[in-house]
Amino acid sequence: NAGVTQTPKFQVLKTGQSMTLQCAQDMNHEYMSWYRQDPGMGLRLIHYSVGAGITDQGEVPNGYNVSRSTTEDFPLRLLSAAPSQTSVYFCASSYTPRAGGYEQYFGPGTRLTVT
Amino acid sequence: AQSVAQPEDQVNVAEGNPLTVKCTYSVSGNPYLFWYVQYPNRGLQFLLKYITGDNLVKGSYGFEAEFNKSQTSFHLKKPSALVSDSALYFCAVRDRDTGGFKTIFGAGTRLFVKA
């Protein structure tokens, strides 16, 4: 299994540009989530999904969109990039608690810089 | 609302000495609790979890943690630290009474083990 994969690894955007961060998992996990990691602030939840077609907002959803058309993929879209979105983005997945899943598996991250 | 506090930005310990990384949490219901570790330029790796049952849980690499409901704490411990334990450690909580879908992370504690 490849686990959780993320592309690209690095990205530089200009203010106002849009882009999609890709995330895929091959473990048949129902639960997927996106976090951003900023120094001194830990990981903050952006959006999450408990299955195909079901998404919800986390702590810091503004400026980001998600969709979940398949179990495997959970892309994160930046609508109009701002310097405040400069961060490292992590995707994670797990089984849901009712299915006996608790801990999350993380991708390697995408380092995004917005100038 | 869920929250996690890691009161120490950094913990310094000599190799061979015991280490403790502190974590307190707040949830409206009963918690699922986790510890994750992050090495430089990597994603997070799961260390251990408390779901139910015995308050002392053991995890990877000789780490353990004790769930204390009255103090709402879940401190990470290891009897004898190794230089290779130096990393960034995150405590996380999921609220089982709201379905356990959202995982909230603390800000992280950097552990430095000196040879």
Side-chain angles (χ1 to χ4, degrees), chain B residues 52-67:
Chain B
T52 189
D54 194 350
N55 289 346
L56 182 65
V57 294
K58 295 186 184 296
S60 306
Y61 314 120
F63 285 93
E64 59 188 29
E66 185 165 13
F67 169 59

PDB file of all heavy atoms in Angstrom, chain B residues 52-67:
ATOM      1  N   THR B  52     -10.507   3.240  25.661  1.00  0.00           N
ATOM      2  CA  THR B  52     -11.283   2.862  26.826  1.00  0.00           C
ATOM      3  C   THR B  52     -10.460   1.856  27.614  1.00  0.00           C
ATOM      4  O   THR B  52      -9.431   1.376  27.147  1.00  0.00           O
ATOM      5  CB  THR B  52     -12.638   2.255  26.412  1.00  0.00           C
ATOM      6  OG1 THR B  52     -13.453   2.092  27.568  1.00  0.00           O
ATOM      7  CG2 THR B  52     -12.453   0.911  25.717  1.00  0.00           C
ATOM      8  N   GLY B  53     -10.886   1.572  28.852  1.00  0.00           N
ATOM      9  CA  GLY B  53     -10.213   0.532  29.609  1.00  0.00           C
ATOM     10  C   GLY B  53      -9.077   1.065  30.465  1.00  0.00           C
ATOM     11  O   GLY B  53      -9.182   2.122  31.089  1.00  0.00           O
ATOM     12  N   ASP B  54      -7.969   0.329  30.476  1.00  0.00           N
ATOM     13  CA  ASP B  54      -6.829   0.633  31.332  1.00  0.00           C
ATOM     14  C   ASP B  54      -6.328   2.048  31.090  1.00  0.00           C
ATOM     15  O   ASP B  54      -6.104   2.457  29.941  1.00  0.00           O
ATOM     16  CB  ASP B  54      -5.710  -0.369  31.061  1.00  0.00           C
ATOM     17  CG  ASP B  54      -4.634  -0.341  32.132  1.00  0.00           C
ATOM     18  OD1 ASP B  54      -4.646   0.572  32.977  1.00  0.00           O
ATOM     19  OD2 ASP B  54      -3.773  -1.233  32.115  1.00  0.00           O
ATOM     20  N   ASN B  55      -6.144   2.791  32.169  1.00  0.00           N
ATOM     21  CA  ASN B  55      -5.735   4.189  32.033  1.00  0.00           C
ATOM     22  C   ASN B  55      -4.292   4.342  31.547  1.00  0.00           C
ATOM     23  O   ASN B  55      -3.923   5.392  31.041  1.00  0.00           O
ATOM     24  CB  ASN B  55      -5.903   4.926  33.355  1.00  0.00           C
ATOM     25  CG  ASN B  55      -7.361   5.143  33.695  1.00  0.00           C
ATOM     26  OD1 ASN B  55      -8.239   4.991  32.855  1.00  0.00           O
ATOM     27  ND2 ASN B  55      -7.624   5.489  34.940  1.00  0.00           N
ATOM     28  N   LEU B  56      -3.470   3.325  31.729  1.00  0.00           N
ATOM     29  CA  LEU B  56      -2.087   3.369  31.268  1.00  0.00           C
ATOM     30  C   LEU B  56      -2.002   2.646  29.931  1.00  0.00           C
ATOM     31  O   LEU B  56      -2.301   1.472  29.830  1.00  0.00           O
ATOM     32  CB  LEU B  56      -1.156   2.713  32.289  1.00  0.00           C
ATOM     33  CG  LEU B  56       0.334   2.752  31.936  1.00  0.00           C
ATOM     34  CD1 LEU B  56       0.840   4.195  31.922  1.00  0.00           C
ATOM     35  CD2 LEU B  56       1.127   1.914  32.925  1.00  0.00           C
ATOM     36  N   VAL B  57      -1.610   3.386  28.915  1.00  0.00           N
ATOM     37  CA  VAL B  57      -1.508   2.786  27.594  1.00  0.00           C
ATOM     38  C   VAL B  57      -0.061   2.808  27.133  1.00  0.00           C
ATOM     39  O   VAL B  57       0.685   3.749  27.414  1.00  0.00           O
ATOM     40  CB  VAL B  57      -2.397   3.516  26.567  1.00  0.00           C
ATOM     41  CG1 VAL B  57      -3.852   3.321  26.918  1.00  0.00           C
ATOM     42  CG2 VAL B  57      -2.075   4.995  26.485  1.00  0.00           C
ATOM     43  N   LYS B  58       0.324   1.755  26.442  1.00  0.00           N
ATOM     44  CA  LYS B  58       1.694   1.638  25.934  1.00  0.00           C
ATOM     45  C   LYS B  58       1.659   1.742  24.416  1.00  0.00           C
ATOM     46  O   LYS B  58       0.714   1.287  23.762  1.00  0.00           O
ATOM     47  CB  LYS B  58       2.301   0.318  26.378  1.00  0.00           C
ATOM     48  CG  LYS B  58       2.481   0.224  27.880  1.00  0.00           C
ATOM     49  CD  LYS B  58       3.209  -1.039  28.292  1.00  0.00           C
ATOM     50  CE  LYS B  58       3.287  -1.162  29.808  1.00  0.00           C
ATOM     51  NZ  LYS B  58       4.076  -0.077  30.412  1.00  0.00           N
ATOM     52  N   GLY B  59       2.719   2.358  23.876  1.00  0.00           N
ATOM     53  CA  GLY B  59       2.758   2.556  22.439  1.00  0.00           C
ATOM     54  C   GLY B  59       4.092   2.188  21.853  1.00  0.00           C
ATOM     55  O   GLY B  59       4.852   1.409  22.403  1.00  0.00           O
ATOM     56  N   SER B  60       4.374   2.822  20.711  1.00  0.00           N
ATOM     57  CA  SER B  60       5.589   2.515  19.972  1.00  0.00           C
ATOM     58  C   SER B  60       6.817   3.093  20.667  1.00  0.00           C
ATOM     59  O   SER B  60       6.725   4.067  21.413  1.00  0.00           O
ATOM     60  CB  SER B  60       5.493   3.101  18.560  1.00  0.00           C
ATOM     61  OG  SER B  60       4.330   2.675  17.904  1.00  0.00           O
ATOM     62  N   TYR B  61       7.981   2.490  20.392  1.00  0.00           N
ATOM     63  CA  TYR B  61       9.289   3.000  20.802  1.00  0.00           C
ATOM     64  C   TYR B  61       9.434   3.168  22.312  1.00  0.00           C
ATOM     65  O   TYR B  61      10.228   3.988  22.774  1.00  0.00           O
ATOM     66  CB  TYR B  61       9.585   4.332  20.104  1.00  0.00           C
ATOM     67  CG  TYR B  61       9.298   4.336  18.623  1.00  0.00           C
ATOM     68  CD1 TYR B  61       8.374   5.211  18.072  1.00  0.00           C
ATOM     69  CD2 TYR B  61       9.937   3.434  17.766  1.00  0.00           C
ATOM     70  CE1 TYR B  61       8.106   5.211  16.716  1.00  0.00           C
ATOM     71  CE2 TYR B  61       9.669   3.429  16.408  1.00  0.00           C
ATOM     72  CZ  TYR B  61       8.757   4.315  15.889  1.00  0.00           C
ATOM     73  OH  TYR B  61       8.487   4.307  14.546  1.00  0.00           O
ATOM     74  N   GLY B  62       8.673   2.395  23.087  1.00  0.00           N
ATOM     75  CA  GLY B  62       8.807   2.433  24.541  1.00  0.00           C
ATOM     76  C   GLY B  62       8.048   3.548  25.224  1.00  0.00           C
ATOM     77  O   GLY B  62       8.179   3.736  26.439  1.00  0.00           O
ATOM     78  N   PHE B  63       7.262   4.302  24.486  1.00  0.00           N
ATOM     79  CA  PHE B  63       6.463   5.375  25.074  1.00  0.00           C
ATOM     80  C   PHE B  63       5.194   4.823  25.730  1.00  0.00           C
ATOM     81  O   PHE B  63       4.665   3.803  25.318  1.00  0.00           O
ATOM     82  CB  PHE B  63       6.069   6.410  24.018  1.00  0.00           C
ATOM     83  CG  PHE B  63       7.187   7.320  23.620  1.00  0.00           C
ATOM     84  CD1 PHE B  63       7.987   7.028  22.523  1.00  0.00           C
ATOM     85  CD2 PHE B  63       7.449   8.471  24.350  1.00  0.00           C
ATOM     86  CE1 PHE B  63       9.031   7.866  22.160  1.00  0.00           C
ATOM     87  CE2 PHE B  63       8.481   9.320  23.990  1.00  0.00           C
ATOM     88  CZ  PHE B  63       9.283   9.012  22.894  1.00  0.00           C
ATOM     89  N   GLU B  64       4.735   5.537  26.743  1.00  0.00           N
ATOM     90  CA  GLU B  64       3.472   5.226  27.390  1.00  0.00           C
ATOM     91  C   GLU B  64       2.804   6.522  27.809  1.00  0.00           C
ATOM     92  O   GLU B  64       3.447   7.582  27.848  1.00  0.00           O
ATOM     93  CB  GLU B  64       3.684   4.318  28.603  1.00  0.00           C
ATOM     94  CG  GLU B  64       4.588   4.885  29.665  1.00  0.00           C
ATOM     95  CD  GLU B  64       4.904   3.855  30.743  1.00  0.00           C
ATOM     96  OE1 GLU B  64       4.923   2.647  30.456  1.00  0.00           O
ATOM     97  OE2 GLU B  64       5.145   4.280  31.884  1.00  0.00           O
ATOM     98  N   ALA B  65       1.513   6.450  28.099  1.00  0.00           N
ATOM     99  CA  ALA B  65       0.781   7.631  28.535  1.00  0.00           C
ATOM    100  C   ALA B  65      -0.296   7.196  29.510  1.00  0.00           C
ATOM    101  O   ALA B  65      -0.828   6.096  29.417  1.00  0.00           O
ATOM    102  CB  ALA B  65       0.167   8.370  27.346  1.00  0.00           C
ATOM    103  N   GLU B  66      -0.604   8.104  30.441  1.00  0.00           N
ATOM    104  CA  GLU B  66      -1.615   7.800  31.442  1.00  0.00           C
ATOM    105  C   GLU B  66      -2.792   8.737  31.313  1.00  0.00           C
ATOM    106  O   GLU B  66      -2.628   9.970  31.363  1.00  0.00           O
ATOM    107  CB  GLU B  66      -1.038   7.892  32.851  1.00  0.00           C
ATOM    108  CG  GLU B  66      -2.044   7.464  33.929  1.00  0.00           C
ATOM    109  CD  GLU B  66      -1.392   7.203  35.267  1.00  0.00           C
ATOM    110  OE1 GLU B  66      -0.221   7.584  35.438  1.00  0.00           O
ATOM    111  OE2 GLU B  66      -2.058   6.608  36.136  1.00  0.00           O
ATOM    112  N   PHE B  67      -3.969   8.176  31.162  1.00  0.00           N
ATOM    113  CA  PHE B  67      -5.208   8.944  31.092  1.00  0.00           C
ATOM    114  C   PHE B  67      -5.681   9.227  32.513  1.00  0.00           C
ATOM    115  O   PHE B  67      -5.851   8.302  33.309  1.00  0.00           O
ATOM    116  CB  PHE B  67      -6.264   8.146  30.331  1.00  0.00           C
ATOM    117  CG  PHE B  67      -7.658   8.720  30.404  1.00  0.00           C
ATOM    118  CD1 PHE B  67      -7.918  10.005  29.952  1.00  0.00           C
ATOM    119  CD2 PHE B  67      -8.704   7.977  30.924  1.00  0.00           C
ATOM    120  CE1 PHE B  67      -9.201  10.534  30.011  1.00  0.00           C
ATOM    121  CE2 PHE B  67      -9.993   8.496  30.989  1.00  0.00           C
ATOM    122  CZ  PHE B  67     -10.236   9.772  30.535  1.00  0.00           C
TER     123      PHE B  67
END
